[in-house]
Amino acid sequence: TFLAPLCMVLLAALRLGERLTLKLLGVIAIGRAGVAVILSGDLLAGRGGNGPSADLAGIAAALASAVTYAGSMILLRRQAQRDRPEVIVLFQEFVPAVLALPFALAGWTAFPPALWLVFALIGTVGVAAHFCLTWAYARAPAGRLAVMEYTALPWAGLIGFAVFAEVPTPATLAGGALILAACLAVVRAR
């Protein structure tokens, strides 16, 4: 699924006319190397899933997900240059909610009232994240923002450490350092 940043760079060049430079492709390669280091550590430790016998339908779904996610980010970049963030976020939140409502009602089960606060917090953080994403794509080329997608793995490691007391492996730390280096290279390329 970490093909999405590379797809974003290519789609931004094709659909939005953004410059495709060797430096940008190199930074994407550094980020991908960080992902590879983290995943290789997990595979060597036996935490990598099913290995070579993995389900081909699952692999195809992951690849399709990467391409469609990249496409949605390119559309967000184009739309963020035209519309106000409030309009974009409203549609990002409202339309999926309306589409999911019948399925949610069909499977509705009561849950403890204390969870309403948790759901409200999750919703607030999600809306704030959409505003930040829309703001970023309105101001920077999609290709340069693509490398930031790789930070999902180091963030997951930090959250795992903070919430579940999971100690990051040396491979996670090394891969995170590569990803951080790639992100800093993009920031310095202003």
Side-chain angles (χ1 to χ4, degrees), residues 2 4-5 8 69 73 133 137 145-153 179 183:
F2 281 99
M8 288 170 63
Y69 176 74
M73 292 298 101
L133 201 58
Y137 276 94
L145 292 173
V147 76
M148 300 303 172
E149 295 291 326
Y150 292 127
T151 64
L153 283 175
I179 292 168
C183 293

Side-chain angles (χ1 to χ4, degrees), residues 68-89:
T68 55
Y69 176 74
S72 71
M73 292 298 101
I74 297 306
L75 290 174
L76 174 60
R77 165 76 173 145
R78 188 179 67 188
Q79 210 57 39
Q81 293 174 326
R82 296 183 196 162
D83 292 334
R84 295 175 45 117
E86 297 85 4
V87 173
I88 293 171
V89 173

Side-chain angles (χ1 to χ4, degrees), residues 16-77:
L16 301 176
E18 293 183 7
R19 284 186 53 222
L20 184 62
T21 64
L22 286 177
K23 182 175 183 174
L24 183 57
L25 290 174
V27 168
I28 292 289
I30 293 169
R32 286 190 47 76
V35 171
V37 167
I38 292 171
L39 294 179
S40 68
D42 283 348
L43 290 173
L44 292 174
R47 295 188 300 264
N50 297 331
S53 64
D55 183 17
L56 291 178
I59 293 169
L63 291 173
S65 169
V67 173
T68 55
Y69 176 74
S72 71
M73 292 298 101
I74 297 306
L75 290 174
L76 174 60
R77 165 76 173 145

